[in-house]
Amino acid sequence: MLTTNELQKYIMSEINDKLDEISYSNVFFEKGDDNSAEGTYIFSTNSNYHILYAEKGKIRSDIVVNDEREVLWYALNILSTNITMKYAMNNQEKGKDFRRPLFEKEKKIFALFGEDFLKRKDEEINEILEKNPYNDILLWLSFRTPKPLTQKAIL
């Protein structure tokens, strides 16, 4: 079992070795509680690791695991969000579901961390798509910039 400081070094080393654009601004490697600032807290206690999310003065979730790679999985999900969203926004194709480039980038990122991470991400994405399949035309329309109203349209 790693200490919180050792866990921080492990996670940051693994992620920084493979990804460049990472911001740790809302991830804290310390114990969080109901009075903590909004963000994700990753820490070690009582032979468990916690990935705790605090928002508006309350703990919204506290995932407890006992494996460093499992902590890395959750940290990567949190820390890669800005990269995947930016990629999806910059690579969205007209008439295509916004999630296509998003999921594509997620798979590329998770593959960097091993076959087990890629397989797990594939399963997660497939589960999402089973419940909510791609809807290319309609979803693209919702992300379009609306045309400005004309005087005639206002009347």
Side-chain angles (χ1 to χ4, degrees):
M1 178 65 54
L2 301 176
T3 66
T4 299
N5 283 341
E6 292 168 334
L7 186 61
Q8 176 181 6
K9 288 176 186 171
Y10 165 71
I11 290 170
M12 291 179 81
S13 173
E14 287 289 318
I15 291 176
N16 292 343
D17 283 350
K18 296 169 182 72
L19 300 173
D20 294 329
E21 312 167 40
I22 295 298
S23 168
Y24 293 89
S25 62
N26 287 331
V27 175
F28 308 98
F29 291 92
E30 60 188 62
K31 188 173 181 182
D33 58 34
D34 282 332
N35 298 315
S36 297
E38 187 168 312
T40 301
Y41 293 81
I42 298 173
F43 57 97
S44 173
T45 62
N46 303 328
S47 45
N48 286 312
Y49 299 118
H50 293 259
I51 304 97
L52 181 143
Y53 180 68
E55 179 185 43
K56 297 180 182 173
K58 292 188 179 190
I59 295 172
R60 300 297 178 178
S61 70
D62 185 10
I63 299 166
V64 181
V65 298
N66 58 13
D67 178 69
E68 293 86 14
R69 251 181 93 78
E70 191 70 9
V71 179
L72 179 60
W73 167 266
Y74 285 105
L76 184 58
N77 264 305
I78 294 161
L79 294 166
S80 65
T81 300
N82 287 342
I83 295 170
T84 57
M85 287 299 288
K86 182 178 177 182
Y87 179 86
M89 288 171 32
N90 291 333
N91 292 281
Q92 183 181 4
E93 294 180 43
K94 182 177 180 179
K96 299 279 184 170
D97 192 315
F98 179 78
R99 297 173 300 164
R100 288 185 187 275
L102 181 83
F103 291 158
E104 171 191 330
K105 187 66 171 179
E106 281 185 338
K107 288 180 184 183
K108 286 180 182 176
I109 288 173
F110 280 78
L112 296 172
F113 293 83
E115 187 63 34
D116 58 329
F117 273 41
L118 175 59
K119 183 180 178 198
R120 187 169 170 184
K121 183 51 76 173
D122 270 334
E123 290 169 356
E124 182 181 273
I125 291 169
N126 288 338
E127 204 174 292
I128 291 167
L129 292 174
E130 280 178 22
K131 294 176 184 170
N132 300 290
Y134 288 125
N135 190 349
D136 290 325
I137 302 300
L138 293 178
L139 282 180
W140 181 80
L141 292 173
S142 68
F143 286 103
R144 245 182 14 173
T145 305
K147 294 180 182 176
L149 293 175
T150 62
Q151 186 65 26
K152 186 175 181 179
I154 294 172
L155 299 174

